[in-house]
Amino acid sequence: MGQPSPQQTLQVDDRVLDGPHGSLPVRIYRPAEALGPGMVWVHGGGFVEGDIDMAEAHWVSTALAERGITVVSVDYRLAPLPADWVVPGRAVREEGVRFPVAHDEVVFAHAWALGAGLAPGPWALGGASAGGNLAAGAVLELLHEGGPVPAFVFLAYPTVHALQRPHSAELTAALADTPQERRFTPEVIRTMYENYLGPGVDVDTAPIRAIPGLASAEELAGHPRTLVINSERDDLRTSGEAYAEVLSAAGVDVTLLTEPGTFHGHLNNPDEPAAERSIDVVARELLRSAAQQS
């Protein structure tokens, strides 16, 4: 199957798909020496921010493509940005969409990528932070409603719980001197989900495709092999760790890693060595999936 070879020449194309809720922009990254695997990639941003130009989308996609992996980055629709969330440099954005619009767009983009002939595959589905939620939710829909299930799932510091379990003593110690602006309190996380879900949807009883952390081991049966990479100094570590535990209880082949010393969103900081380390792991795991299916 070959080995990742960074710094390949890439072909990068922007395309607008006829998605389930109207136009859906995607960006396609094709390496000159494609090794077979592909990944549909979903950036984060609390469901309210981010686009395919941010480092967590463009740099991640470029880095994977340089290692021989074809990538489709999804520019899904965002939820409104409420006034009480605004900090300097942000503007209130009253327009926006609620669940299941972004979820539907990720499901659609995955199916489109598999059928577009961009790479022989196998194809993976992955996302970071809120994008990890969208990726995980898409996999659950495909498992339960039918459709092309990805061969491999990558979740980077995902948020898949609206209500998180208490921190471990080890995580509490790691967060002790973390700047407040990098913290995610339970209230902030719940508010983020309430904004994403919209009025009338209870975070305790929402569909598992909206809050994958609500899924039981039985509901995760048949889930593809999964890699979870968390940031060490991150309140959301509890979400990725808890999800990995339930996946494991469901009999899923799951690998859980933590990047030492990192804050939430370390793939959005490509100048830090941890970002490159995480990408190297993902590339190796994708190639492993390809080798197992060849």
Side-chain angles (χ1 to χ4, degrees):
M1 182 56 62
Q3 297 296 321
S5 53
Q7 308 308 317
Q8 287 197 43
T9 300
L10 307 180
Q11 178 181 341
V12 180
D13 299 304
D14 287 321
R15 192 174 300 187
V16 179
L17 309 181
D18 184 11
H21 299 281
S23 59
L24 175 60
V26 297
R27 182 170 292 164
I28 305 164
Y29 299 74
R30 282 181 276 199
E33 300 177 21
L35 297 177
M39 174 176 279
V40 174
W41 179 246
V42 191
H43 67 78
F47 306 107
V48 299
E49 293 185 294
D51 55 40
I52 54 176
D53 291 319
M54 67 189 289
E56 195 175 71
H58 181 66
W59 178 81
V60 168
S61 300
T62 299
L64 288 172
E66 287 175 344
R67 289 157 173 81
I69 296 156
T70 301
V71 181
V72 175
S73 181
V74 186
D75 202 9
Y76 59 90
R77 283 170 168 77
L78 301 175
L81 183 57
D84 56 357
W85 287 21
V86 173
V87 298
R90 284 178 174 174
V92 174
R93 191 184 66 250
E94 295 182 356
E95 74 280 4
V97 300
R98 311 286 190 175
F99 173 81
V101 173
H103 163 87
D104 291 345
E105 292 181 327
V106 173
V107 172
F108 177 88
H110 175 258
W112 176 86
L114 267 64
L118 301 172
W123 277 83
L125 180 55
S129 193
N133 171 290
L134 294 171
V139 174
L140 286 170
E141 171 153 327
L142 294 169
L143 280 173
H144 291 276
E145 302 299 328
V149 178
F152 174 74
V153 177
F154 168 48
L155 305 177
Y157 38 86
T159 170
V160 293
H161 299 83
L163 306 173
Q164 299 200 140
R165 68 185 182 185
H167 294 340
S168 66
E170 186 271 331
L171 178 55
T172 299
L175 292 169
D177 59 350
T178 299
Q180 193 59 39
E181 62 270 17
R182 291 183 177 269
R183 297 295 306 271
F184 295 89
T185 66
E187 294 75 22
V188 165
I189 295 169
R190 181 178 185 126
T191 299
M192 177 184 73
Y193 274 92
E194 289 174 341
N195 182 64
Y196 167 57
L197 295 171
V201 183
D202 192 327
V203 297
D204 296 300
T205 57
I208 58 172
R209 60 197 178 105
I211 305 180
L214 294 173
S216 65
E218 291 75 18
E219 290 169 316
L220 291 168
H223 194 283
R225 192 167 67 85
T226 301
L227 169 67
V228 180
I229 300 183
N230 285 322
S231 304
E232 182 183 29
R233 301 173 64 186
D234 180 8
D235 289 278
L236 292 173
R237 247 180 72 189
T238 56
S239 189
E241 290 169 349
Y243 200 54
E245 288 177 10
V246 181
L247 285 169
S248 181
V252 178
D253 181 357
V254 58
T255 300
L256 174 65
L257 302 175
T258 302
E259 280 291 358
T262 54
F263 297 108
H264 183 78
H266 67 266
L267 291 180
N268 218 19
N269 298 291
D271 293 335
E272 296 181 2
E276 287 280 359
R277 288 198 302 268
S278 290
I279 293 297
D280 283 339
V281 171
V282 176
R284 286 197 300 270
E285 290 298 306
L286 273 168
L287 293 172
R288 176 185 159 198
S289 288
Q292 289 175 339
Q293 294 196 13
S294 62

